[in-house]
Amino acid sequence: MIEIRDAVKHYGNLVAVDHVNLKITKGEKIVIIGPSGSGKTTLLRMINFLETMDSGRILLEGTDAGYRRDRKGRLVLDRPEVICKLRSEIGMVFQHFHLFPHMTTLENVMEGPLTVKKKSRKDAKAISMDLLGKVGLLDKKDVYPAFLSGGQKQRVAIARALAMNPKIMLFDEPTSALDPELVGEVFNTIKDLAEEGMTMIIVTHQMGFAKELGDRVIFMDNGYFIFEGRPNEVFSDRMDNPRVKAFLAKVL
Amino acid sequence: MEVRRSVSVLLCALTFFSLFLTPLASAAEPDIYEVLALATRYMHDGNLDKALELFQKIPPPGKGEDGGVFVRARMEASKIYFIRKEYADSARMCDEILAIFPDNLEAGNILSQVRAAQTPKWLRFLKDMKTYFPTLLKASGMTLVLVLITMLVSPVIGLFIALGRISRTGVLSSVFWFYIWIFRGTPLLLQLFFIYYGLPQLGLILKPFTAAILGLGLNYSAYLAEIIRGAIESIDAGQMESAKAIGMTYWQAMRRIIVPQTYKRLVPPVGNEFIALIKDTALVSTIAMVELMRAADQIFNATFNIFILIQAAFIYLLMTSIFTISFRKLEDRLGVYEAR
């Protein structure tokens, strides 16, 4: 359903994403691992246009999406309304949650349906209450984010993304900012979602995601894919790629 | 014929007699002129006791006399007593004049000055304060109107300018930069002068009130724009990203997510600006606006009563204090979503 072809992204002289190709089919769960600064997050943010490619193509259901050529032939982001429409169908969860601090939990989740989808308050509330129930935070609906734990915040952030009824969910290190004892609740929430058949890409340092959820695990370093395979291949003793082995030895 | 003759003789005789009589009457008391002259001489020589004694020897005018000498003498005596701070005697002299000539302005004047001098200074000041308090209060109303209108207008314009400055539209941003550069970089007083005294030369004549609102509004919008811009830019970039990630446009994110988060952060600096504004309204007294400062200035010039200024200071303090407390409360209320 989403395909990235030959994506390149530079930050000055640094190549963050180096001619990457990635094809995601519906219902697939892809876990991207790799050391810091390897370009995983940049790649993820590219998919919902928070980062722009320098060159390459993004195809949705087989057609180019999100980019056009300006008069000089350069690749530029499409008009804002087009981008917003695309983004509204892609859910994203950030490492640092980025909940809206001035809104209660419920209002955070309602915001998308209300403002972007222009749903009625009643409908938006129904959707949001349902999702809060799903992430197990219905009792916190009138609480402001500042009064939630990290794990609770991230679960609200997941509910907020789901409220837009996205076709795919992008998780950018969803548990990296959490205390170890809070990782489990977020992990379980994502796992539930995976079991429902949600298409997702997870960038993480948490190998549990790769082992338990991944249909495909990608090891990324220096802006390109070093290794791509099924979890049991990555975590097997027969793994012969030295960089993957060195990385796994450190994190496991 | 005989009768007519005798009547005319009689008339002639009467005329002659009266002509003869008048100089004779003034000649009968030539001494009051001399006494007056003598007393005046004593006065000039500094012998005030003697002068006073002589001045008071001049009697009130009899029937048909014009009393000029008497008035003159009593007036001089009253002045001497006044200078010696013997106010009761000074007043007595005036009273003697007014008893005969109730309309004598000069005597009336001196008498009111005597009365004023007789009242203790503090009592007079208190009376002034009581007399002029309503005037000051009315003028503070105008100060408050100026403050409130500026308070309503400038944040709106300021927000508009701030958003323009942040936007990547080059032209708009430069125009607003120039605007802020001008209005923050020159004295408000100069801006007010320019608008009220300068613009008429370019054919634009404004009423003092319009000019005052325009000057304060433009000036404070520039200040608030920079404060608002700072507040918007201080909001974590992740907020804009997560708003965009759920599909919001830039302006939806600004309106729903970014700008509302600035409110609490804006209260302290904007509160400061508004307190400065209360005091800055005093500057519009220079462009013919009657507000608290102008009223206090006028009354002070008429009375030289220092307490009028203190009274005005207290009214300013009252206003700034109410603002300080309100902004404090507002900040607390806007911060409900923050963990303490």
Side-chain angles (χ1 to χ4, degrees):
Chain A
M1 62 183 289
I2 294 185
E3 191 180 348
I4 296 163
R5 280 193 201 160
D6 220 21
V8 177
K9 172 76 182 178
H10 293 263
Y11 292 116
N13 288 330
L14 182 89
V15 186
V17 173
D18 194 358
H19 298 282
V20 162
N21 288 286
L22 177 64
K23 197 170 177 176
I24 307 136
T25 53
K26 192 165 163 40
E28 197 177 15
K29 287 100 184 113
I30 294 176
V31 178
I32 305 177
I33 57 172
S36 302
S38 58
K40 333 182 274 298
T41 294
T42 307
L43 179 66
L44 196 71
R45 289 161 58 86
M46 249 178 206
I47 295 171
N48 76 344
F49 312 98
L50 285 177
E51 300 282 354
T52 52
M53 300 183 294
D54 295 339
S55 67
R57 293 169 71 185
I58 291 179
L59 296 107
L60 286 180
E61 319 288 359
T63 51
D64 278 288
Y67 287 86
R68 60 189 170 89
R69 299 267 168 198
D70 69 3
R71 270 178 241 142
K72 289 172 186 165
R74 284 175 306 201
L75 196 65
V76 291
L77 269 189
D78 214 331
R79 284 172 293 123
E81 55 268 34
V82 175
I83 297 297
C84 288
K85 180 82 180 71
L86 290 171
R87 279 188 186 133
S88 69
E89 294 176 353
I90 301 170
M92 176 130 183
V93 173
F94 298 86
Q95 178 179 357
H96 294 289
F97 333 124
H98 298 326
L99 291 180
F100 307 133
H102 59 305
M103 298 178 176
T104 63
T105 300
L106 180 63
E107 287 166 344
N108 262 276
V109 181
M110 283 170 68
E111 188 58 21
L114 213 56
T115 306
V116 180
K117 288 198 165 172
K118 312 278 182 210
K119 284 193 189 295
S120 70
R121 274 203 94 77
K122 194 166 151 268
D123 289 351
K125 193 174 174 185
I127 297 167
S128 305
M129 294 289 275
D130 191 37
L131 286 168
L132 279 179
K134 201 166 145 186
V135 299
L137 288 172
L138 208 48
D139 58 326
K140 299 283 186 193
K141 71 180 172 68
D142 296 321
V143 172
Y144 286 101
F147 302 94
L148 296 176
S149 74
Q152 291 170 331
K153 282 181 194 166
Q154 196 60 301
R155 281 147 65 200
V156 174
I158 292 169
R160 181 177 66 178
L162 289 175
M164 293 300 290
N165 196 21
K167 292 178 177 150
I168 179 170
M169 285 286 286
L170 310 176
F171 294 91
D172 183 11
E173 307 200 15
T175 56
S176 298
L178 299 178
D179 292 337
E181 73 269 23
L182 299 176
V183 170
E185 54 186 88
V186 174
F187 181 85
N188 287 332
T189 306
I190 296 173
K191 195 179 170 192
D192 290 347
L193 203 57
E195 280 163 5
E196 283 172 26
M198 176 63 80
T199 313
M200 52 177 75
I201 304 177
I202 306 167
V203 166
T204 186
H205 289 289
Q206 199 78 38
M207 291 309 133
F209 282 106
K211 282 181 185 164
E212 288 194 44
L213 301 183
D215 294 324
R216 196 156 32 125
V217 177
I218 295 170
F219 182 86
M220 199 173 172
D221 198 6
N222 291 327
Y224 53 91
F225 296 170
I226 302 278
F227 184 87
E228 199 174 340
R230 301 184 57 77
N232 52 19
E233 293 175 88
V234 176
F235 296 104
S236 79
D237 300 334
R238 293 188 311 272
M239 183 72 221
D240 53 2
N241 188 309
R243 277 154 86 182
V244 179
K245 261 166 84 175
F247 176 74
L248 291 178
K250 263 185 261 173
V251 297
L252 286 177
Chain B
M1 216 45 176
E2 202 63 20
V3 174
R4 282 185 78 173
R5 199 174 185 157
S6 55
V7 166
S8 67
V9 167
L10 192 66
L11 268 172
C12 275
L14 269 171
T15 314
F16 177 80
F17 185 70
S18 65
L19 276 174
F20 184 74
L21 197 73
T22 312
L24 198 119
S26 45
E29 329 171 336
D31 50 329
I32 61 167
Y33 292 98
E34 266 169 42
V35 172
L36 182 68
L38 194 62
T40 311
R41 199 149 53 237
Y42 277 127
M43 184 174 73
H44 289 310
D45 291 347
N47 193 346
L48 297 181
D49 287 328
K50 195 77 185 156
L52 279 174
E53 191 197 321
L54 289 178
F55 278 136
Q56 291 179 69
K57 270 194 177 158
I58 294 170
K63 280 246 163 69
E65 291 174 332
D66 74 344
V69 174
F70 166 76
V71 170
R72 176 80 190 284
R74 289 296 186 275
M75 203 72 83
E76 295 297 347
S78 176
K79 284 177 188 168
I80 293 169
Y81 279 129
F82 188 84
I83 290 161
R84 289 175 151 195
K85 301 196 174 171
E86 290 162 18
Y87 297 124
D89 289 324
S90 183
R92 186 165 51 80
M93 294 298 105
C94 291
D95 286 339
E96 283 182 24
I97 296 171
L98 290 169
I100 302 164
F101 304 103
D103 298 330
N104 189 298
L105 276 178
E106 208 181 343
N109 262 338
I110 293 181
L111 190 62
S112 68
Q113 280 184 43
V114 169
R115 295 261 159 77
Q118 271 177 313
T119 10
K121 207 175 191 178
W122 61 270
L123 193 67
R124 205 173 82 229
F125 279 0
L126 271 180
K127 271 187 184 163
D128 280 353
M129 282 167 71
K130 207 180 144 207
T131 313
Y132 293 113
F133 186 64
T135 316
L136 285 180
L137 217 53
K138 213 178 132 206
S140 338
M142 178 48 82
T143 294
L144 216 52
V145 166
L146 288 169
V147 168
L148 290 178
I149 293 180
T150 311
M151 265 177 71
L152 285 178
V153 171
S154 57
V156 177
I157 301 174
L159 175 65
F160 182 69
I161 293 168
L163 291 173
R165 287 272 285 140
I166 292 167
S167 80
R168 285 152 296 252
T169 324
V171 185
L172 205 62
S173 189
S174 318
V175 168
F176 288 145
W177 176 88
F178 183 75
Y179 170 84
I180 291 167
W181 183 63
I182 295 288
F183 282 94
R184 279 205 322 174
T186 57
L188 174 57
L189 190 58
L190 190 148
Q191 292 161 21
L192 289 168
F193 273 38
F194 184 87
I195 291 167
Y196 186 66
Y197 298 113
L199 288 185
Q201 302 200 14
L202 303 173
L204 185 61
I205 299 164
L206 295 171
K207 284 183 181 141
F209 183 76
T210 319
I213 289 293
L214 201 62
L216 290 170
L218 288 172
N219 186 273
Y220 272 83
S221 297
Y223 274 97
L224 292 185
E226 281 302 86
I227 293 172
I228 293 169
R229 184 173 71 95
I232 289 174
E233 286 176 348
S234 79
I235 301 297
D236 177 28
Q239 291 294 311
M240 178 57 92
E241 287 203 335
S242 61
K244 281 181 171 177
I246 57 171
M248 285 196 190
T249 64
Y250 177 81
W251 292 112
Q252 281 176 332
M254 273 292 173
R255 187 170 53 83
R256 299 279 308 171
I257 308 301
I258 309 296
V259 173
Q261 287 184 52
T262 63
Y263 294 157
K264 186 190 178 264
R265 296 182 195 195
L266 281 174
V267 171
V270 170
N272 261 340
E273 287 300 318
F274 286 158
I275 284 160
L277 169 66
I278 295 175
K279 295 175 288 166
D280 272 356
T281 54
L283 290 174
V284 306
S285 62
T286 56
I287 58 165
M289 276 299 291
V290 180
E291 41 62 74
L292 181 50
M293 184 63 224
R294 168 91 166 213
D297 184 43
Q298 285 173 339
I299 298 167
F300 179 69
N301 279 333
T303 60
F304 279 108
N305 181 349
I306 191 173
F307 289 99
I308 292 294
L309 296 183
I310 293 173
Q311 210 170 17
F314 266 106
I315 298 176
Y316 275 118
L317 274 173
L318 183 72
M319 286 195 269
T320 51
S321 304
I322 290 172
F323 270 56
T324 309
I325 295 165
S326 317
F327 282 116
R328 180 76 243 172
K329 289 236 162 87
L330 185 65
E331 195 186 347
D332 289 344
R333 255 188 57 190
L334 288 173
V336 287
Y337 58 79
E338 285 181 349
R340 269 163 284 267

